[in-house]
């Protein structure tokens, strides 16, 4: 009997643009201060993708090139590229298609997934099922967002939170039980009222009026989202542990979406995890939406060991949320 195929992460790549926007820069732009931002969110600086015509695919490409180099493969070997993003280069075609063209990944098909801050968990679960089906051998899943394209830099309640960045992982078949072991994903569209971009879709196409009303920027009712996020991310992470008969002691790392340090702390506490087991880089990159979780894996890659249990957890617009259990494969 053939063994069960799991999707193992076999390489990680990442890219953050070089330009920084610090809390002190923001102090000069809106009525805020470094102390408020640090204590309420944990963010100290974020990266901003600058340059005429630069888009999300311009961060996907170096992130994927990075993982190809590490794994010693050519982009021609990629079967499928899935990009989680809410800031695609264009409404269509998909950023994945544009990125494959720029990468020379001529044998890959691909598409984008819109799940806001849960974008990477959704794409990871999808990518894993493609590998588990036995039909595909090399699937790249990427979380990438150029949030600076949809942030209103006169709105102090949102502009302090977000940054730009991309992270990607390569998924390959494994028969030894490593890789993506379980996932609980959730969504609740009634959360739309609290976190959305009001215009630019089919409901309210772009017009002079929508531009004047600043409806192409992120609209967020922060406090309401915060309450749902704290409960959603902590509950689903605890549920994942319980379902897999694990406790905090069995987990090497929590890899949380980086929206707010207070949400991350609540999740770690609920899982019974000490804070030295929590990946945290919100202070340097802010909330890069789909990019946060793979960027954590990218930065912590050298500290991970074969067999480590990781819980990846996220909450975001939609609402969307979830948690994924990964057994590290290298
Ligand atoms: N600087 C100084 N004061 C500020 C700032 C700022 N940048 N922003 C807001 N304030 C003020 C408010 O005006 C308010 O003043 P008031 O009491 O006089 O009315 C006060 O600070 C408190 O404001 P709150 O909104 O209650 O602040 P809160 O502690 O809730 O923090 C935040 C706001 C950081 C946005 C928080 O609510 C949060 O993190 N929410 C969740 C975000 C999230 O997880 N989003 C999901 C992912 S994003 C995605 O999916 C695209």
């Amino acid at each position: 009997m053939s063994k069960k195929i799991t999707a193992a992460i076999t390489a990680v790549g990442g890219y953050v643009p070089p330009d920084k926007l610090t809390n002190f820069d923001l102090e000069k732009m809106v009525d805020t201060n470094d102390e408020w931002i640090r204590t309420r969110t944990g963010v100290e600086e974020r990266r901003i993708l600058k340059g005429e015509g630069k888009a999300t695919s311009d961060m996907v490409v170096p992130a994927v090139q990075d993982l190809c180099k590490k794994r010693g493969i050519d982009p021609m070997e990629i079967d499928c590229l899935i990009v989680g993003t809410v800031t695609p280069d264009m409404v269509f075609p998909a950023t994945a298609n544009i990125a494959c063209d720029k990468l020379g990944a001529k044998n890959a098909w691909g598409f984008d997934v819109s799940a806001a801050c849960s974008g990477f968990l959704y794409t990871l679960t999808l990518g894993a099922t493609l590998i588990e089906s036995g039909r595909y051998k090399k699937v790249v899943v990427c979380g990438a967002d150029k949030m600076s394209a949809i942030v209103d830099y006169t709105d102090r309640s949102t502009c302090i939170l977000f940054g730009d960045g991309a992270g990607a992982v390569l998924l390959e078949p494994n028969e030894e039980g490593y890789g993506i072991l379980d996932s609980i994903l959730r969504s609740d569209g009634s959360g739309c009222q609290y976190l959305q971009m009001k215009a630019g879709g089919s409901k309210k196409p772009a017009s002079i009026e929508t531009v004047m009303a600043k409806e192409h920027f992120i609209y967020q009712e922060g406090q309401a989202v915060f309450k749902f996020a704290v409960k959603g991310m902590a509950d689903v992470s605890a549920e994942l542990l319980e379902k897999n008969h694990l406790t905090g002691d069995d987990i090497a790392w929590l890899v949380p979406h980086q929206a707010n340090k207070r949400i991350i702390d609540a999740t770690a506490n609920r899982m019974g995890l000490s804070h030295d087991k929590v990946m945290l880089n919100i202070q340097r990159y802010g909330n890069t939406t789909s990019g946060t979780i793979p960027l954590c894996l990218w930065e912590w890659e050298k500290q991970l060991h074969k067999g480590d249990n990781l819980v990846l957890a996220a909450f975001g617009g939609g609402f969307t949320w979830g948690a994924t259990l990964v057994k590290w494969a290298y």
Side-chain angles (χ1 to χ4, degrees):
M1 209 176 83
S2 62
K3 285 186 181 167
K4 184 172 182 261
I5 298 171
T6 52
I9 294 174
T10 56
V12 185
Y15 177 79
V16 287
D19 282 296
K20 292 179 185 172
L21 181 68
T22 67
N23 290 352
F24 299 104
D25 296 328
L26 285 166
E27 283 182 358
K28 295 178 204 134
M29 296 159 68
V30 288
D31 180 15
T32 191
N33 58 78
D34 172 60
E35 211 257 331
W36 192 97
I37 303 172
R38 267 190 296 106
T39 52
R40 294 293 180 112
T41 71
V43 187
E44 292 171 20
E45 59 185 37
R46 341 85 198 105
R47 301 299 179 95
I48 304 294
L49 182 65
K50 291 194 175 161
E52 184 75 25
K54 289 284 179 200
T56 297
S57 67
D58 295 303
M59 299 188 289
V60 173
V61 168
V64 176
Q65 284 169 334
D66 184 25
L67 74 73
C68 286
K69 196 170 163 217
K70 284 184 187 163
R71 187 68 179 140
I73 64 164
D74 188 277
M76 291 285 275
E77 293 177 54
I78 299 170
D79 296 318
C80 179
L81 171 68
I82 313 176
V83 178
T85 187
V86 287
T87 51
D89 289 24
M90 308 169 104
V91 173
F92 74 92
T95 304
N97 304 147
I98 297 167
C100 280
D101 180 50
K102 290 180 180 174
L103 283 161
K106 291 191 185 304
N107 295 315
W109 60 289
F111 56 96
D112 294 354
V113 169
S114 172
C117 296
S118 309
F120 184 74
L121 289 194
Y122 275 42
T123 56
L124 186 65
T125 305
L126 266 170
T129 60
L130 295 181
I131 294 287
E132 288 159 11
S133 75
R135 285 184 66 173
Y136 300 99
K137 304 291 178 221
K138 285 185 172 54
V139 174
V140 174
V141 300
C142 185
D145 272 297
K146 183 189 170 189
M147 296 306 287
S148 61
I150 58 167
V151 164
D152 174 2
Y153 285 99
T154 65
D155 173 10
R156 69 175 182 175
S157 68
T158 52
C159 73
I160 55 157
L161 299 171
F162 297 98
D164 303 338
V169 301
L170 176 64
L171 296 174
E172 295 185 81
N174 185 283
E175 293 191 350
E176 293 161 352
Y178 295 97
I180 317 307
L181 301 188
D182 196 13
S183 238
I184 302 175
L185 300 178
R186 297 264 152 77
S187 73
D188 177 359
S190 68
C192 169
Q193 59 186 304
Y194 304 112
L195 182 52
Q196 57 175 253
M197 187 194 288
K198 294 187 179 210
S202 57
K203 183 180 174 185
K204 205 177 202 189
S207 67
I208 299 279
E209 289 74 26
T210 62
V211 171
M212 297 303 286
K214 297 186 166 188
E215 290 179 342
H216 298 273
F217 293 124
I218 296 166
Y219 169 83
Q220 175 170 260
E221 293 179 25
Q223 253 186 35
V225 177
F226 186 87
K227 282 183 198 146
F228 283 104
V230 166
K231 184 166 169 18
M233 209 160 111
D235 279 357
V236 78
S237 303
E239 187 184 340
L240 184 75
L241 288 189
E242 204 175 314
K243 189 177 163 211
N244 287 278
H245 312 292
L246 299 169
T247 68
D249 292 342
D250 303 307
I251 304 303
W253 293 100
L254 170 65
V255 193
H257 170 56
Q258 314 276 312
N260 188 315
K261 187 172 178 300
R262 290 182 288 149
I263 300 173
I264 295 171
D265 289 345
T267 304
N269 290 342
R270 179 73 186 283
M271 292 171 70
L273 276 186
S274 60
H275 290 243
D276 56 343
K277 288 180 164 187
V278 180
M279 295 188 191
L280 192 78
N281 59 13
I282 191 171
Q283 64 279 17
R284 272 173 287 126
Y285 303 139
N287 181 352
T288 55
T289 302
S290 293
T292 58
I293 290 176
L295 279 173
C296 280
L297 294 175
W298 177 58
E299 289 207 322
W300 267 262
E301 189 185 15
K302 286 199 171 70
Q303 293 179 57
L304 299 176
H305 301 105
K306 191 171 180 174
D308 279 353
N309 286 323
L310 276 54
V311 171
L312 285 43
F315 187 96
F319 294 135
T320 57
W321 68 104
T324 298
L325 178 64
V326 176
K327 193 174 273 295
W328 200 250
Y330 61 98

